Amino acid sequence: MATLNLLQAINQALDIAMADNERVLCFGEDVGGFGGVFRATSHLQDKYGKARCFNTPLVEQGIIGFANGLAAQGSTPVAEIQFADYIFPAFDQIVNESAKFRYRSGSLFNVGGLTIRAPYGGGIAGGLYHSQSPEAYFAHTPGLKVVVPRNPHQAKGLLLAAIRDPNPVLFFEPKRLYRASTGEVPESDYELPLGEAEVIKEGSDITLLAWGAQMEVIEEAAELAEKEGISCEIIDLRSILPWDVDTVATSVLKTGRLVISHEAPLTGGFAGEIAATIQERCFLYLESPISRVTGLDTPFPLTLEKEYLPDRLKVFEAIKASMAY
Amino acid sequence: MATLNLLQAINQALDIAMADNERVLCFGEDVGGFGGVFRATSHLQDKYGKARCFNTPLVEQGIIGFANGLAAQGSTPVAEIQFADYIFPAFDQIVNESAKFRYRSGSLFNVGGLTIRAPYGGGIAGGLYHSQSPEAYFAHTPGLKVVVPRNPHQAKGLLLAAIRDPNPVLFFEPKRLYRASTGEVPESDYELPLGEAEVIKEGSDITLLAWGAQMEVIEEAAELAEKEGISCEIIDLRSILPWDVDTVATSVLKTGRLVISHEAPLTGGFAGEIAATIQERCFLYLESPISRVTGLDTPFPLTLEKEYLPDRLKVFEAIKASMAY
Amino acid sequence: MTRATSSLVHSPHFLEGDEFSIDTFALLKQDGSLYEGATVPDLDRDKALRIYHAMVFTRVLDERMLAAQRQGRLSFYMQCTGEEAAVIGSTAALDDADMIMAQYREQGALAYRGFSCDEFMNQMFGNEHDYGKGRQMPIHYGSAKLHYMTISSPLATQIPQATGYAYGQKLAGDGHCTITYFGEGAASEGDFHAALNMAAVHKVPVIFFCRNNGYAISTPAVEQFAADGVAPRAFGYKMRVIRVDGNDVLAVYQATLEARRLAVEQNQPVLIEAMTYRLAAHSSSDDPSGYRSKKEEEAWREKDPILRLRRWLEDREWWSDDEEKALQERLRREVLETMKVAQKRPAPPLESLITDVYDTPTPQLKEQLAALETHIRRYPEAYPKSAHKSASEHSPQGSSTSSGAVTGQGGY
Amino acid sequence: MTRATSSLVHSPHFLEGDEFSIDTFALLKQDGSLYEGATVPDLDRDKALRIYHAMVFTRVLDERMLAAQRQGRLSFYMQCTGEEAAVIGSTAALDDADMIMAQYREQGALAYRGFSCDEFMNQMFGNEHDYGKGRQMPIHYGSAKLHYMTISSPLATQIPQATGYAYGQKLAGDGHCTITYFGEGAASEGDFHAALNMAAVHKVPVIFFCRNNGYAISTPAVEQFAADGVAPRAFGYKMRVIRVDGNDVLAVYQATLEARRLAVEQNQPVLIEAMTYRLAAHSSSDDPSGYRSKKEEEAWREKDPILRLRRWLEDREWWSDDEEKALQERLRREVLETMKVAQKRPAPPLESLITDVYDTPTPQLKEQLAALETHIRRYPEAYPKSAHKSASEHSPQGSSTSSGAVTGQGGY
Ligand SMILES: Cc1ncc(C[n+]2csc(CCOP(=O)(O)OP(=O)(O)O)c2C)c(N)n1
Ligand SMILES: Cc1ncc(C[n+]2csc(CCOP(=O)(O)OP(=O)(O)O)c2C)c(N)n1
Ligand SMILES: [Mg+2]
Ligand SMILES: [Mg+2]
């Protein structure tokens, strides 16, 4: 076990995947010799050659179109989109193509080898276009998998699973944690399951649910709440699509209360889907409305980003409101 | 008053808007001399000239980029995307640009003049790529308005309001109804309000909510239910973003039950947002879980589209289940 | 109509970008004779007849299926008519294991590769034998064994995919390349630009084959681009390019043969622009009289690519009137009979609604299917295609087959 | 580094596409003298000095703000260094009311138009005077009165927007055009292709100004495209094109003057490719030593565009050492003093979080703001920038100003 930060864990996962399977390729803007603007692909070109790790021209729709073709051919492309905010020019290739490739062909063809990595999220003075959390846009798209890791250990295991999963996977990396989050990471080749949430901490009064960088926030809020005698069960959803309804529902059946938090705007965010599903599953067990603590229904601001973000205090208040309902 | 079909009503709205304001322009693929593949822009080029109604090259990202620029310049572009399924190449221009133009500039600039029209929805043997209902993708995007009319009268009034609204509006037209839906339409220039739902029929036992072509379906389901003595309140949401929480909540506070229906897949669909909001607003008044009757979590099929679609029988069953809860 | 016009040359000269005016490569005149100075490409009788059969089959299929659509038997159809030489001549120049990533009007390529009439029909009727499991509109064929990627409606998406596919072939080192077909309209999409640029930068064995048929639905090429066709764009990417008479199957064949050599031996991507014309409507939903003249159509009908090849074959005595008659009759009969059978085949099973979304259905999808099954059991007569036979006794006249009286207005 | 190399010409000859090798238009040598055969464009002393001042201001601003970023006073910065001639020379050739739609490295254009130092600072510190209300990262300027569209980070989106904007200008008939700036990297995006094609088809008065500075972050031009720069793409759209020495302000000025004439008088869109070099890092987050050599940088530092113009001005006795010294000192002082003031200005009001999403806030947004206000009132010390003064007494050292010790890793 070594102590790695999130970036190092990702780099290690890519390295292992490329060593393990010569059909794995990493490419995107600046990912070649330079190793990516965040250095997630450092040294991979040196180790595996220019044919397997390279810069692309600056065109996201081309990167994903190219990746779709490569995956259909039987390769295992890991394409990087430099910031999740810049994934939208590739939206058609992802939503109309990657997601529907297998279905439309009756499984004659598929792009299951495809993984798309992109740094996402706020809290780093990035403003409108270096802060977005676009997971909900993709969560409405059957055929895709969407995964968000919360720390280095999770990142490595989930990314290895994503690369090897026989379905196209979007892997959103919480860039605020790239260097800020460190932890013990096994050196071995290991995978963590897609589609399964993880109960981080058991509790009895209320369930707190989030993913990615927002896990830190709800854990801090839980600490505040515990001080007031509120026992919180904390769940990391990990996979946004498909998501683990059972684990969440089981928890809420027990606690009777649910607070969900994400950075993306409220309206149409993925917390809405979760709330809608859980109120149906757990209707008779709910002791208070399911509560969502999210970004405002605005683009992402800069100077007032602290005010905008769903921080631990906002989550704490939501916990108290839920308990007092 | 004349009896018009939905297409004629839209054509009339465009005609009035262009006559009323010489800065209104209509363009898109095949919209010029040909009048659009569905003929929504028929005769407009003859009447207003090639400079104001024209064909564009086949490039959706260009159409909307061009339209954004025109709107920023102070014109009132009405851009057509030939099918809503083909709006995704323009996703970046819509979600990162149209939606954020005013906010990012502190209102120095805006693209409020922009309207994007696109035929959407299934039930016409269109398969994967001529059937999608993408409203939820846009509903997660603050800065946009999203509107869906249910019949010719609504279409004309809402489209005129959309064109004149000082915000970018996506106007999704239920193409299954283009010729199938006919009705009395005033010849005058009139507008219907954006952001306001409409209670189509009052009732006391349960609230049924939908928009666009799905209104017909819930109205038929209500007829089946009424035969069994269930009194249905029927609401047309009309605007998906921003949506009229108050009208829906008021209704559910009265009936205690809510069934929402849309064609798009369940997961991440807009019904989830509505259910999440309403369970919070009406928690203590809900007598059964809010129920969603939607497309399956798959791409849109063809041969089995009847099985896939949320039809009146499925809605009827959901009503009965809700009543029997 | 303003179309690219330029003088003709008679050898397949690939432009480097150092000359700018783009000539058109042509070998065969409409009367079946060669242009002076032209030499016949290396094409034996068997191959020539294989090409010709595929062309005639495609024409017959198109005629019959359009008629079937008009009779309400089929929801939608798209004809290749007028462009058979471009599509089939190019495919014939490839190795049969090279990948084809087409737009939608390239059924001829599939016919050339040996897709059976039955396979065509099953797709069009979306029945239980359709490889695509009845999920896509008619003409969205695909065949893994024939290396023909399943058609996708969103235009131009296959072009960068072809670049990626070919990059994979290059790494695999198996000596294969990819050809991607697209219209001059689709070439306006951003994906086109991405694809050509990436192919040039990464030296990918891919052939970009543009069918410039003058129209994108109603939009004439002159409203699609101001330039002399699509070919000059190649210079912007430093890509080899050739323009070819798309109604001349020999020229198309030879140009593609050379392109394939460049792609496979030198990893040089190539752009081919085939100048042709869509003689039929855009699709069964379209009526071209709204945007072009009968006269223009007539002028192009004079350039029928099938007739041109037939004359050349007859001149060589590789083909006769009798053979023609027999072929036409056989194909017509085959198409009609196969259609009848395919149309009666049942719809794909209900389960096919949720398979292939992922490699295996998620728990949610299984739940959704179970709920749907319960629902259909409650209302079997409302879902004749999928209700259990036992339950669907109310609808005796075979309405449980895949396609009833479908009158689609789905595609365009 | 492989870059476009071609011989030089000395008159602004717009290529029609009938020749292919693309020369570079240049007038001024690095020593401040003209090439033989070159003639000075029509440029009086006032205008020349206005250009020069803007160039020097831009350089000084860039140096100081990068230093401020290094000190942690600013979260992010991007320098124009090395490209001042390309940006300012072209803007100077326009009418001051022509629209500018830039990428992000064109602060010089804004300086030339008269954006004040204070205005620059307010944007960078995102304070209550920032026109953009503190919503975007530093350097995302905008000015309605100076006809400079607010910068948007997603690359290339402004290019088709410029086509649309200019189409509106053409309809308005007010004799104005639009210029859009972008890097050679951004030109790979699909939006570039859409924009140029649409402009050519619709005959739009727009100037596409490509700053080919050799890199897109770490990616050298040779990995961006295989062709000889961006210029040859113009032929693919049938658009006039000129390549110009981007470090030669006179050549850039004259080329743009001619381009504007074509645009405004003949509705001819034009592509200008200015060959230049980004002397600084891509941004404050970047370190170029990871992808290029000091030697290469040195070679380009020899071609400093500001020095080149200064020598020309001095030759004409329009400028002297003393004036230079005085200008440098004045600008340095101005930048530092203005920065100090701007940095201390309060953040925009809390309400600015929800305004401008729509023309007026929706009921939902008003509710969200009200809830936030209640929350902040409960925890004032946690939100020093926005808490009411009365409540924020816990944080006395001015932490309620717009920018504390921000060490952003936001942009790249
Ligand atoms: C992204 C996208 N936009 C629009 C359409 C609708 N559409 C289908 S075919 C077509 C015209 C295509 O013209 P071209 O590429 O020239 O091919 P041709 O039909 O002439 O063979 C259009 C606009 C589509 N399928 N996909
Ligand atoms: C759509 C999009 N993709 C990626 C980025 C990230 N990014 C910012 S600047 C840049 C390089 C741009 O290079 P170029 O266009 O040559 O301009 P230069 O920086 O050289 O002036 C990249 C990749 C972005 N801002 N937008
Ligand atoms: Mg065409
Ligand atoms: Mg650059």
Side-chain angles (χ1 to χ4, degrees):
Chain A
M1 296 266 259
T3 300
L4 301 184
N5 67 28
L6 191 67
L7 270 175
Q8 293 165 325
I10 285 164
N11 184 251
Q12 203 173 86
L14 295 173
D15 194 348
I16 289 172
M18 291 183 86
D20 172 53
N21 175 359
E22 67 170 24
R23 303 203 66 175
V24 175
L25 292 93
C26 292
F27 51 86
E29 294 157 15
D30 303 294
V31 313
F34 192 55
V37 297
F38 290 103
R39 300 299 192 282
T41 53
S42 280
H43 310 303
L44 299 178
Q45 188 177 79
D46 286 350
K47 267 178 113 159
Y48 301 103
K50 281 198 166 184
R52 290 182 58 202
C53 177
F54 51 90
N55 289 340
T56 61
L58 210 170
V59 54
E60 291 77 13
Q61 64 193 109
I63 294 171
I64 304 302
F66 181 92
N68 277 330
L70 257 176
Q73 182 267 343
S75 298
T76 306
V78 184
E80 177 177 303
I81 297 292
Q82 203 163 76
F83 285 87
D85 311 70
Y86 304 136
I87 202 166
F88 301 125
F91 204 74
D92 188 53
Q93 281 286 351
I94 299 171
V95 160
N96 262 344
E97 295 293 315
S98 312
K100 299 176 172 65
F101 219 96
R102 188 194 299 269
Y103 192 80
R104 74 183 179 210
S105 74
S107 217
L108 287 183
F109 300 97
N110 73 80
V111 295
L114 173 65
T115 303
I116 302 172
R117 297 177 38 247
Y120 87 96
I124 48 127
L128 270 89
Y129 294 118
H130 294 83
S131 304
Q132 294 178 65
S133 296
E135 68 274 11
Y137 289 115
F138 298 99
H140 187 43
T141 312
L144 300 178
K145 294 193 175 184
V146 182
V147 177
V148 191
R150 73 173 178 279
N151 66 25
H153 175 262
Q154 291 283 316
K156 180 174 169 186
L158 288 169
L159 181 52
L160 278 165
I163 293 170
R164 292 158 179 170
D165 188 89
N167 297 286
V169 182
L170 285 152
F171 192 81
F172 289 118
E173 301 166 2
K175 63 179 174 294
R176 180 161 68 76
L177 305 185
Y178 265 163
R179 294 193 169 84
S181 172
T182 56
E184 297 284 286
V185 177
E187 259 141 65
S188 62
D189 179 345
Y190 65 95
E191 294 179 24
L192 294 171
L194 306 189
E196 288 185 23
E198 188 184 12
V199 178
I200 301 297
K201 186 187 139 331
E202 301 204 358
S204 54
D205 293 331
I206 189 165
T207 304
L208 309 184
L209 175 65
W211 49 87
Q214 205 58 12
M215 287 309 298
E216 240 182 39
V217 170
I218 64 169
E219 287 184 62
E220 288 168 16
E223 276 174 37
L224 295 174
E226 304 268 344
K227 280 190 199 135
E228 309 222 342
I230 304 168
S231 165
C232 301
E233 178 139 316
I234 302 179
I235 302 179
D236 177 1
L237 193 60
R238 299 201 292 193
S239 278
I240 312 302
L241 188 72
W243 67 287
D244 185 351
V245 181
D246 286 343
T247 297
V248 180
T250 304
S251 175
V252 177
L253 288 176
K254 178 174 73 176
T255 62
R257 293 184 170 87
L258 177 59
V259 173
I260 314 161
S261 185
H262 58 59
E263 286 183 18
L266 177 79
T267 300
F270 199 66
E273 177 59 37
I274 298 168
T277 302
I278 294 301
Q279 64 87 30
E280 198 167 359
R281 284 281 199 114
C282 308
F283 189 72
L284 297 173
Y285 296 78
L286 280 175
E287 299 187 30
S288 67
I290 298 165
S291 155
R292 297 182 282 168
V293 186
T294 70
L296 304 184
D297 277 333
T298 74
F300 207 100
L302 183 84
T303 303
L304 298 178
E305 102 171 296
K306 203 170 168 26
E307 283 72 7
Y308 174 89
L309 280 170
D311 62 12
R312 65 192 178 122
L313 294 172
K314 292 181 187 173
V315 176
F316 176 49
E317 286 298 310
I319 294 169
K320 287 196 296 184
S322 180
M323 293 306 298
Y325 192 82
Chain B
M1 299 266 256
T3 301
L4 301 185
N5 67 27
L6 191 67
L7 270 173
Q8 292 165 326
I10 285 164
N11 185 252
Q12 204 173 85
L14 295 172
D15 194 348
I16 290 172
M18 291 184 85
D20 172 53
N21 176 359
E22 66 170 22
R23 303 203 66 177
V24 174
L25 293 92
C26 292
F27 51 87
E29 294 157 14
D30 303 296
V31 313
F34 192 56
V37 298
F38 290 104
R39 301 297 193 284
T41 53
S42 280
H43 309 304
L44 299 178
Q45 187 176 77
D46 286 348
K47 266 179 114 160
Y48 302 103
K50 280 198 168 186
R52 290 181 59 202
C53 177
F54 51 91
N55 289 341
T56 60
L58 210 170
V59 53
E60 292 77 12
Q61 63 193 109
I63 294 171
I64 304 302
F66 182 92
N68 277 331
L70 257 176
Q73 183 267 342
S75 297
T76 306
V78 184
E80 176 177 305
I81 297 293
Q82 203 163 78
F83 285 86
D85 311 69
Y86 305 136
I87 202 166
F88 300 125
F91 204 73
D92 188 52
Q93 280 286 352
I94 299 171
V95 160
N96 263 344
E97 294 293 315
S98 312
K100 300 176 172 64
F101 219 96
R102 188 194 300 269
Y103 192 80
R104 73 182 179 210
S105 74
S107 216
L108 287 183
F109 300 98
N110 73 80
V111 295
L114 174 64
T115 302
I116 301 172
R117 298 177 38 247
Y120 87 97
I124 48 125
L128 271 89
Y129 294 117
H130 294 84
S131 305
Q132 294 177 68
S133 295
E135 68 274 11
Y137 289 116
F138 299 98
H140 187 42
T141 312
L144 300 178
K145 294 193 174 184
V146 181
V147 177
V148 191
R150 73 173 177 277
N151 68 26
H153 175 261
Q154 292 282 315
K156 179 174 169 186
L158 288 169
L159 181 53
L160 277 165
I163 293 170
R164 292 158 179 171
D165 188 89
N167 298 285
V169 182
L170 285 153
F171 192 82
F172 288 119
E173 301 165 2
K175 62 179 173 296
R176 180 162 67 77
L177 304 186
Y178 266 164
R179 295 195 169 83
S181 171
T182 55
E184 296 285 287
V185 177
E187 258 141 67
S188 62
D189 179 344
Y190 66 95
E191 294 178 26
L192 294 172
L194 306 189
E196 288 184 24
E198 188 184 14
V199 179
I200 301 297
K201 182 186 144 326
E202 300 204 359
S204 53
D205 294 332
I206 188 165
T207 303
L208 309 183
L209 175 64
W211 49 88
Q214 205 58 12
M215 288 307 299
E216 239 182 42
V217 171
I218 64 169
E219 286 184 62
E220 288 168 17
E223 275 173 38
L224 295 175
E226 305 268 344
K227 280 190 198 134
E228 309 222 341
I230 305 167
S231 164
C232 302
E233 178 140 316
I234 301 178
I235 302 180
D236 178 1
L237 193 61
R238 298 200 293 192
S239 279
I240 312 303
L241 189 72
W243 66 287
D244 185 351
V245 181
D246 286 343
T247 295
V248 180
T250 302
S251 175
V252 177
L253 288 176
K254 177 174 75 176
T255 62
R257 292 184 169 87
L258 176 60
V259 172
I260 313 162
S261 185
H262 58 59
E263 285 183 19
L266 177 79
T267 299
F270 199 66
E273 177 58 38
I274 298 169
T277 302
I278 295 301
Q279 63 86 31
E280 199 168 356
R281 284 281 199 114
C282 308
F283 189 71
L284 297 173
Y285 295 79
L286 280 176
E287 298 187 30
S288 67
I290 297 166
S291 155
R292 297 182 282 168
V293 186
T294 70
L296 304 184
D297 277 333
T298 74
F300 206 101
L302 183 84
T303 302
L304 298 178
E305 106 172 293
K306 201 168 170 28
E307 284 73 7
Y308 175 88
L309 279 171
D311 61 13
R312 65 191 178 121
L313 294 173
K314 292 180 186 174
V315 176
F316 176 49
E317 287 298 309
I319 294 170
K320 286 195 295 184
S322 180
M323 294 306 298
Y325 191 80
Chain C
M1 192 189 54
T2 308
R3 293 285 298 280
T5 53
S6 47
S7 60
L8 301 174
V9 292
H10 306 298
S11 66
H13 174 56
F14 283 87
L15 299 163
E16 296 272 352
D18 46 49
E19 61 252 57
F20 189 72
S21 144
I22 298 180
D23 298 323
T24 301
F25 172 52
L27 295 172
L28 196 57
K29 291 194 272 187
Q30 190 59 28
D31 65 6
S33 69
L34 292 182
Y35 286 99
E36 208 173 327
T39 50
V40 179
D42 183 22
L43 189 69
D44 63 22
R45 182 174 186 275
D46 282 357
K47 185 138 202 166
L49 288 182
R50 184 178 166 194
I51 291 173
Y52 185 69
H53 280 205
M55 288 171 76
V56 175
F57 171 79
T58 303
R59 184 69 61 92
V60 169
L61 182 74
D62 283 357
E63 285 168 4
R64 293 295 110 184
M65 297 321 289
L66 186 76
Q69 195 282 334
R70 292 283 178 255
Q71 294 161 3
R73 296 169 76 175
L74 199 63
S75 62
F76 179 79
Y77 195 72
M78 288 183 107
Q79 296 171 268
C80 180
T81 307
E83 303 179 50
E84 295 92 345
V87 168
I88 297 168
S90 51
T91 292
L94 304 177
D95 185 284
D96 278 354
D98 287 338
M99 191 65 196
I100 297 178
M101 297 176 80
Q103 179 158 309
Y104 49 56
R105 209 181 288 288
E106 297 86 356
Q107 50 265 47
L110 206 39
Y112 178 85
R113 287 254 171 113
F115 206 58
S116 75
C117 193
D118 196 45
E119 289 176 304
F120 277 106
M121 292 300 166
N122 292 331
Q123 195 289 324
M124 282 186 275
F125 288 101
N127 65 30
E128 64 175 3
H129 287 186
D130 170 21
Y131 301 133
K133 301 182 190 167
R135 291 166 183 158
Q136 293 213 74
M137 287 172 64
I139 69 97
H140 288 65
Y141 313 109
S143 170
K145 67 175 189 293
L146 300 180
H147 308 279
Y148 190 94
M149 181 63 69
T150 301
I151 300 300
S152 169
S153 315
L155 287 167
T157 52
Q158 82 281 11
I159 315 180
Q161 290 170 14
T163 301
Y165 201 101
Y167 187 83
Q169 289 171 316
K170 174 179 157 183
L171 291 198
D174 58 10
H176 284 121
C177 69
T178 295
I179 193 168
T180 178
Y181 293 97
F182 51 89
E184 87 295 340
S188 292
E189 293 280 8
D191 274 358
F192 166 90
H193 170 63
L196 271 75
N197 191 37
M198 292 181 83
V201 170
H202 290 292
K203 303 199 172 30
V204 171
V206 56
I207 300 169
F208 299 102
F209 194 101
C210 180
R211 296 182 288 96
N212 185 340
N213 63 8
Y215 289 88
I217 308 185
S218 77
T219 305
V222 69
E223 296 182 27
Q224 196 66 246
F225 38 72
D228 168 28
V230 170
R233 293 186 209 162
F235 303 132
Y237 307 109
K238 196 152 187 72
M239 184 178 294
R240 301 271 187 119
V241 64
I242 191 170
R243 175 173 285 154
V244 61
D245 177 348
N247 288 21
D248 174 349
V249 72
L250 297 186
V252 171
Y253 176 76
Q254 184 152 6
T256 313
L257 217 53
E258 295 290 330
R260 183 175 193 279
R261 208 181 41 74
L262 287 167
V264 168
E265 291 175 15
Q266 299 177 34
N267 286 316
Q268 296 228 29
V270 179
L271 174 62
I272 300 177
E273 182 177 29
M275 307 310 290
T276 181
Y277 192 82
R278 157 165 70 67
L279 281 175
H282 169 73
S283 75
S284 56
S285 313
D286 178 46
D287 172 8
S289 70
Y291 53 83
R292 65 188 194 189
S293 70
K294 286 272 164 234
K295 214 176 121 210
E296 178 186 300
E297 290 181 8
E298 278 319 315
W300 276 94
R301 223 176 286 282
E302 297 296 304
K303 303 182 194 170
D304 184 343
I306 299 187
L307 195 58
R308 197 184 302 186
L309 176 58
R310 180 176 162 190
R311 285 171 176 156
W312 182 74
L313 292 172
E314 287 174 350
D315 278 0
R316 313 211 123 194
E317 305 197 338
W318 285 358
W319 194 246
S320 69
D321 265 7
D322 288 350
E323 284 169 302
E324 178 72 23
K325 224 171 147 183
L327 178 67
Q328 291 271 358
E329 253 165 50
R330 178 168 69 70
L331 292 178
R332 263 161 235 258
R333 206 177 327 111
E334 185 185 0
V335 166
L336 284 176
E337 282 169 10
T338 323
M339 176 166 21
K340 253 187 237 159
V341 177
Q343 201 186 349
K344 286 216 184 91
R345 286 207 180 98
L350 190 65
E351 197 204 352
S352 71
L353 271 177
I354 66 144
T355 51
D356 306 332
V357 181
Y358 296 96
D359 64 320
T360 52
T362 61
Q364 279 99 327
L365 280 171
K366 283 186 201 155
E367 264 176 46
Q368 293 180 7
L369 178 65
L372 180 59
E373 279 167 344
T374 309
H375 179 77
I376 293 178
R377 239 174 278 123
R378 200 165 293 159
Y379 298 100
E381 67 289 350
Y383 306 94
K385 283 187 198 162
S386 51
H388 298 284
K389 285 222 167 74
S390 59
S392 63
E393 48 204 27
H394 310 288
S395 45
Q397 336 90 311
S399 62
S400 76
T401 57
S402 52
S403 128
V406 191
T407 47
Q409 52 166 133
Y412 206 91
Chain D
M1 191 189 56
T2 307
R3 293 286 299 279
T5 53
S6 46
S7 60
L8 301 175
V9 291
H10 306 297
S11 66
H13 173 57
F14 282 86
L15 299 164
E16 296 272 353
D18 45 49
E19 62 254 56
F20 189 72
S21 144
I22 298 181
D23 298 322
T24 302
F25 173 51
L27 295 172
L28 196 57
K29 291 194 274 188
Q30 191 59 27
D31 65 6
S33 70
L34 293 181
Y35 286 99
E36 209 173 327
T39 50
V40 179
D42 183 22
L43 190 68
D44 63 22
R45 184 176 186 275
D46 282 356
K47 185 138 203 168
L49 288 182
R50 183 178 167 195
I51 291 173
Y52 185 68
H53 281 206
M55 288 171 77
V56 175
F57 171 79
T58 303
R59 185 68 63 92
V60 169
L61 182 74
D62 283 357
E63 285 167 6
R64 293 296 110 186
M65 298 320 290
L66 187 75
Q69 195 280 336
R70 291 287 178 253
Q71 294 160 4
R73 295 169 75 176
L74 199 63
S75 62
F76 179 79
Y77 195 72
M78 288 184 107
Q79 296 170 268
C80 180
T81 306
E83 304 180 49
E84 295 92 345
V87 169
I88 297 168
S90 51
T91 292
L94 305 176
D95 185 284
D96 278 355
D98 287 339
M99 192 64 197
I100 298 178
M101 298 176 80
Q103 179 158 310
Y104 48 57
R105 209 181 288 289
E106 296 86 357
Q107 49 265 48
L110 207 37
Y112 177 83
R113 288 254 171 114
F115 206 59
S116 73
C117 193
D118 196 46
E119 289 176 304
F120 277 106
M121 292 300 165
N122 292 330
Q123 195 287 325
M124 282 186 274
F125 289 102
N127 65 31
E128 64 175 5
H129 287 184
D130 170 22
Y131 301 133
K133 302 182 189 167
R135 290 165 184 158
Q136 292 212 76
M137 287 174 62
I139 69 99
H140 289 65
Y141 313 109
S143 171
K145 67 177 188 293
L146 301 179
H147 306 280
Y148 190 95
M149 182 63 70
T150 302
I151 300 299
S152 169
S153 314
L155 286 167
T157 52
Q158 82 280 12
I159 316 179
Q161 289 169 14
T163 301
Y165 201 102
Y167 187 82
Q169 289 172 315
K170 174 178 156 184
L171 290 197
D174 58 9
H176 284 120
C177 70
T178 296
I179 193 168
T180 178
Y181 293 98
F182 50 88
E184 88 295 340
S188 292
E189 293 281 8
D191 274 358
F192 165 90
H193 170 63
L196 271 75
N197 191 36
M198 291 179 84
V201 170
H202 290 292
K203 301 198 174 31
V204 171
V206 56
I207 301 169
F208 298 102
F209 194 101
C210 179
R211 297 181 290 94
N212 185 341
N213 63 8
Y215 289 89
I217 307 184
S218 78
T219 305
V222 69
E223 297 182 26
Q224 196 66 245
F225 37 72
D228 167 29
V230 170
R233 292 185 210 164
F235 303 133
Y237 308 110
K238 197 155 187 71
M239 185 178 294
R240 301 270 186 120
V241 64
I242 190 171
R243 174 172 287 153
V244 61
D245 177 349
N247 288 21
D248 174 349
V249 73
L250 297 186
V252 171
Y253 176 77
Q254 183 152 6
T256 312
L257 217 52
E258 294 291 331
R260 182 175 193 279
R261 205 180 45 73
L262 287 167
V264 168
E265 293 175 15
Q266 298 177 33
N267 286 316
Q268 296 227 27
V270 179
L271 174 62
I272 301 178
E273 182 177 31
M275 308 310 290
T276 181
Y277 192 82
R278 158 164 70 67
L279 281 174
H282 169 73
S283 76
S284 57
S285 313
D286 177 48
D287 172 8
S289 70
Y291 53 83
R292 66 188 193 188
S293 70
K294 286 272 164 232
K295 215 177 119 210
E296 178 186 299
E297 290 180 8
E298 278 320 315
W300 276 93
R301 222 175 288 282
E302 297 296 304
K303 304 183 193 168
D304 185 342
I306 300 187
L307 195 58
R308 195 184 301 187
L309 176 58
R310 180 176 163 192
R311 285 170 175 155
W312 182 73
L313 292 171
E314 286 173 351
D315 279 0
R316 311 211 126 191
E317 306 198 335
W318 285 358
W319 195 246
S320 69
D321 266 8
D322 287 350
E323 285 170 303
E324 178 73 21
K325 227 170 143 182
L327 177 66
Q328 291 270 357
E329 255 166 47
R330 178 169 69 69
L331 291 178
R332 264 162 235 256
R333 208 178 326 112
E334 185 185 358
V335 166
L336 285 176
E337 282 168 10
T338 321
M339 178 168 14
K340 255 188 236 159
V341 177
Q343 201 185 351
K344 287 215 184 92
R345 286 207 181 98
L350 190 65
E351 197 205 351
S352 72
L353 270 177
I354 65 145
T355 51
D356 306 333
V357 180
Y358 296 96
D359 63 321
T360 52
T362 62
Q364 278 99 326
L365 281 170
K366 284 186 200 157
E367 263 176 47
Q368 293 181 6
L369 179 65
L372 180 59
E373 279 166 344
T374 308
H375 179 76
I376 293 177
R377 241 175 276 123
R378 201 165 292 158
Y379 299 100
E381 66 291 350
Y383 306 94
K385 282 186 200 163
S386 51
H388 300 283
K389 283 216 167 78
S390 59
S392 64
E393 48 203 27
H394 310 287
S395 47
Q397 336 90 310
S399 62
S400 75
T401 56
S402 51
S403 130
V406 190
T407 47
Q409 51 165 131
Y412 206 91

